[in-house]
Amino acid sequence: MPLQSHISLYWTSYFDDRGLDASIASKYLSVVNECVKNGVPPILSIDHLAALIGVSEESIFTVLYGKERMYSEFEVPKRTGGSRIIHSPRSKVRICQYWILKNILHNLPVSKIATAYYKGASILDNASRHISRERIAKLDIEAFFPSISERMVTRAFQELGYPNQVAWALARMCCHRKKLPQGGVTSGALSNLVCKKLDFSLYRFARKQKLRITRYADDFTISGRSLERWHVAYVAKSFARYGFIENRKKRVIYEGYKPARVTGLTVTDKVRVPRKLRQEVRKNIYFIYKFGIDGHLSRMDNFDYVDIYRLAGKLEFWRSIEGQSKEVAELQIKLQDAITRSGKLIFPSPNAQLFE
């Protein structure tokens, strides 16, 4: 007997044992079957949701209706200048969001063009899909997370089979001020769910036009020999059909196999970290190895021991993108040797190795 039939029989027996009215039981069973079909746990009411999460109904209603502050707010600098506001959920909301992420969102397949916010996703995977492409175009959605409204999230949960009240409650737990917060536990996975129809539409379009398209969060990349400007315009117009607006300032088109910057990586006939990063790492490790850590720091402005961690992190990032090349291996040895010679406890223990 199929799993769905087993689950349906279980719930039918459960409703019968509790003497539930046949018409109500039928409605609940319809919800159960739809949720199971979509690979998510059935949730019949808000009190049922509270029981599944393992919190009191009072706690759930505080999250849904309470006036206490549910998010911490802070700014982080953007790589391109300016800053973005991050809203980090406080404990009551965070508990609910982690449950939703683990038990609902992680069970859902992502679209064929999505390359972020799921296990195994990476900027390398996103960039690698555009290797050796004659033309590459990049487009960006304006204010991506705030553009995803609570109504859009509610609709996405409804389409999974949840009744209206439950879908609203789930969306409410994941949204802040009626929109998806940047910094929410569930925001990334929910953006994939909300964008699924847009992704599918663009995947079909690209396939028909013999092009390749990916989406890393709000960054779309489309490539191919036959790529024309009208293709790029079509993608931008598609954003509007699904409730988004293109950030026109970030549109870039590369032609003639020129090196393209895709999700922060350089793409040609292979994927590399940017030249600037490689030069920075080489230069700093050269001087650290030549003059020692203290000698190098004395020559630098605004450079301290914490920057050794950052330098090691950049070198490891280089290795993770391009593999363990001879150059990377030599740089790792030089940096580790300089740290050992310094005799300072830069890392957690005297025997700690920077690179395993």
Side-chain angles (χ1 to χ4, degrees):
M1 184 183 292
L3 178 62
Q4 186 168 348
S5 299
H6 275 294
I7 295 173
S8 183
L9 285 173
Y10 167 82
W11 280 96
T12 300
S13 175
Y14 176 85
F15 295 146
D16 288 343
D17 290 346
R18 280 151 183 76
L20 200 64
D21 180 81
S23 62
I24 296 176
S26 177
K27 290 180 181 178
Y28 280 164
L29 197 57
S30 176
V31 170
V32 169
N33 289 334
E34 189 66 19
C35 288
V36 171
K37 184 180 76 173
N38 289 315
V40 296
I43 306 172
L44 305 178
S45 61
I46 293 178
D47 58 334
H48 184 201
L49 175 60
L52 289 172
I53 295 175
V55 298
S56 66
E57 289 183 49
E58 180 183 357
S59 181
I60 286 288
F61 279 99
T62 298
V63 171
L64 296 177
Y65 300 105
K67 293 183 179 180
E68 65 179 272
R69 289 186 62 191
M70 293 296 172
Y71 287 80
S72 300
E73 185 176 305
F74 56 93
E75 292 186 15
V76 295
K78 291 183 178 180
R79 181 173 55 85
T80 54
S83 62
R84 61 166 51 90
I85 297 176
I86 302 297
H87 294 97
S88 179
R90 294 179 184 269
S91 58
K92 286 183 180 179
V93 180
R94 186 175 292 272
I95 289 169
C96 296
Q97 289 187 3
Y98 268 120
W99 188 92
I100 293 168
L101 182 68
K102 179 181 177 181
N103 294 280
I104 299 177
L105 301 176
H106 274 175
N107 296 328
L108 301 173
V110 298
S111 74
K112 291 184 177 181
I113 76 168
T115 58
Y117 305 126
Y118 62 89
K119 188 176 181 179
S122 69
I123 59 172
L124 178 59
D125 175 42
N126 185 74
S128 295
R129 300 191 195 186
H130 302 282
I131 287 174
S132 298
R133 308 292 280 180
E134 185 174 342
R135 297 185 179 93
I136 298 176
K138 299 194 308 178
L139 300 90
D140 184 272
I141 289 177
E142 180 82 41
F144 181 56
F145 286 107
S147 295
I148 299 175
S149 66
E150 186 177 297
R151 180 176 296 181
M152 293 164 76
V153 177
T154 300
R155 190 182 309 123
F157 280 122
Q158 288 172 332
E159 290 173 355
L160 292 177
Y162 291 117
N164 293 343
Q165 188 180 36
V166 172
W168 170 81
L170 290 168
R172 183 83 169 191
M173 290 174 182
C174 298
C175 291
H176 178 54
R177 296 173 183 164
K178 301 288 185 179
K179 55 192 177 185
L180 212 55
Q182 187 152 0
V185 172
T186 50
S187 293
L190 277 172
S191 70
N192 281 343
L193 181 61
V194 169
C195 288
K196 204 166 183 179
K197 290 181 180 178
L198 168 62
D199 289 354
F200 181 67
S201 170
L202 291 176
Y203 171 75
R204 285 194 307 175
F205 168 74
R207 191 170 182 178
K208 184 178 179 181
Q209 299 297 323
K210 298 182 179 180
L211 301 170
R212 192 171 295 164
I213 188 166
T214 59
R215 178 180 62 80
Y216 189 91
D218 58 345
D219 295 326
F220 286 77
T221 307
I222 184 168
S223 64
R225 177 177 295 180
S226 60
L227 180 65
E228 301 290 345
R229 292 186 180 273
W230 75 267
H231 293 130
V232 179
Y234 179 91
V235 173
K237 287 180 180 178
S238 296
F239 295 167
R241 288 198 293 272
Y242 291 89
F244 298 106
I245 299 173
E246 181 195 7
N247 184 343
R248 189 65 177 79
K249 294 178 182 178
K250 291 190 175 182
R251 185 189 292 189
V252 182
I253 299 176
Y254 303 93
E255 298 182 288
Y257 295 106
K258 290 182 179 178
R261 182 68 67 89
V262 178
T263 46
L265 301 174
T266 302
V267 177
T268 52
D269 59 341
K270 57 186 174 183
V271 178
R272 303 200 69 183
V273 296
R275 179 185 297 178
K276 185 177 180 181
L277 184 145
R278 298 196 304 272
Q279 291 174 336
E280 177 192 351
V281 170
R282 288 188 193 112
K283 180 187 73 174
N284 281 295
I285 292 179
Y286 171 81
F287 286 117
I288 286 172
Y289 188 72
K290 182 175 180 179
F291 298 110
I293 290 176
D294 286 332
H296 181 55
L297 294 181
S298 68
R299 299 160 59 92
M300 303 290 289
D301 293 327
N302 301 317
F303 198 91
D304 58 31
Y305 287 108
V306 174
D307 288 293
I308 304 300
Y309 285 107
R310 296 194 183 101
L311 182 60
K314 289 176 181 179
L315 183 53
E316 175 58 21
F317 174 67
W318 182 353
R319 185 205 62 78
S320 72
I321 298 299
E322 299 186 21
Q324 186 71 4
S325 66
K326 181 180 178 181
E327 180 182 15
V328 169
E330 288 176 350
L331 289 171
Q332 287 177 332
I333 291 169
K334 286 183 176 180
L335 181 57
Q336 187 69 64
D337 182 62
I339 291 166
T340 303
R341 284 190 284 112
S342 74
K344 296 184 180 296
L345 188 60
I346 296 175
F347 296 97
S349 76
N351 298 320
Q353 291 296 308
L354 180 57
F355 306 105
E356 299 294 342

